[in-house]
Amino acid sequence: TLAVPAAPSILRRSRARRAGKRVRFAQVTVYYFARRQGFTCVPSAGGSSLGMAPRHHRARRYSLSQFAHLRQVSHRQHLRQHLRREKLRARRRELTQNGTVPSAEAAGLTLADVSDDDLDVGQVEVGDYFYLQPLPTKRRRALLRASGVRRIDAEERQELRALRLSREQCGCHCRLTCEPRTCACSQAGIQCQ
């Protein structure tokens, strides 16, 4: 019998070709947009959602190491501000005995009264801590005003409230078995929730 050499595997060939082709990034381009009232997201409370202008007003390019450093500095600033607000809230709670006793001193405290020495920034690992946190309505409105938004649409508050209520009432009221004649899911043409 004559031995026929085996044909090389197609799988091995494709792996070998893929191994040499990799995408590598050398730069990061950051686009900056002005803030606008959003109308496209639903904050968990209040009105005045945050959004962006339709076109960016500036773009900057960074190397990967520059961008990583920039993010770390930015995250550390956000962390410092968050810890400062938490410390201010704690001081106000102490002065008002957990909000039960009015205190003029507590009402007069501001973020400027909390020094950097009072913060334990070194105890928190920035990379593990940082994540987007919801902003209270007052802060969102202040950000919009600081960005030049003169008129904040007050109707958005009612629209957002209605959306949040409608999201609480999803699915149907079926128990154990689906009743297609009364099931809102079945009538909408989706599987019973």
Side-chain angles (χ1 to χ4, degrees):
T1 63
L2 189 60
V4 178
S9 169
I10 295 172
L11 296 175
R12 284 191 189 135
R13 225 179 316 161
S14 65
R15 264 193 227 135
R17 268 192 231 137
R18 275 189 276 153
K21 294 183 180 182
R22 291 197 175 139
V23 177
R24 289 194 172 90
F25 297 97
Q27 299 181 23
V28 175
T29 304
V30 179
Y31 295 92
Y32 295 89
F33 293 82
R35 288 190 194 274
R36 297 287 182 259
Q37 193 167 359
F39 303 106
T40 56
C41 63
V42 181
S44 56
S48 307
S49 61
L50 296 176
M52 302 184 302
R55 301 208 37 91
H56 65 277
H57 59 84
R58 184 170 60 128
R60 292 220 32 211
R61 289 184 185 226
Y62 300 98
S63 69
L64 292 178
S65 60
Q66 287 173 326
F67 184 70
H69 177 72
L70 185 71
R71 278 184 54 154
Q72 188 176 21
V73 168
S74 173
H75 289 179
R76 194 165 293 284
Q77 283 177 321
H78 284 290
L79 174 61
R80 190 171 276 118
Q81 281 300 102
H82 176 73
L83 293 175
R84 187 172 271 123
R85 283 190 298 272
E86 289 298 314
K87 183 66 85 170
L88 178 63
R89 276 191 215 112
R91 283 188 183 166
R92 284 180 177 164
R93 274 194 307 268
E94 284 176 19
L95 291 171
T96 61
Q97 296 177 0
N98 287 332
T100 59
V101 178
S103 167
E105 186 181 354
L109 286 176
T110 65
L111 288 173
D113 296 323
V114 181
S115 72
D116 282 346
D117 297 337
D118 296 336
L119 306 176
D120 295 329
V121 178
Q123 300 296 324
V124 180
E125 180 61 39
V126 177
D128 294 341
Y129 174 81
F130 189 81
Y131 56 92
L132 290 176
Q133 299 186 9
L135 295 175
T137 304
K138 285 183 181 180
R139 291 225 20 240
R140 288 195 305 266
R141 293 176 77 86
L143 282 170
L144 288 170
R145 283 200 167 66
S147 296
V149 176
R150 299 211 183 279
R151 188 180 157 275
I152 296 174
D153 187 350
E155 289 180 22
E156 187 184 25
R157 175 182 286 158
Q158 284 78 29
E159 292 170 5
L160 293 173
R161 183 180 299 131
L163 275 169
R164 283 191 292 268
L165 284 173
S166 73
R167 288 179 177 180
E168 287 178 10
Q169 302 168 356
C170 63
C172 60
H173 301 289
C174 294
R175 304 278 180 231
L176 300 177
T177 60
C178 179
E179 297 293 331
R181 283 177 272 151
T182 60
C183 176
C185 297
S186 179
Q187 292 172 359
I190 60 173
Q191 187 175 356
C192 183
Q193 301 295 310

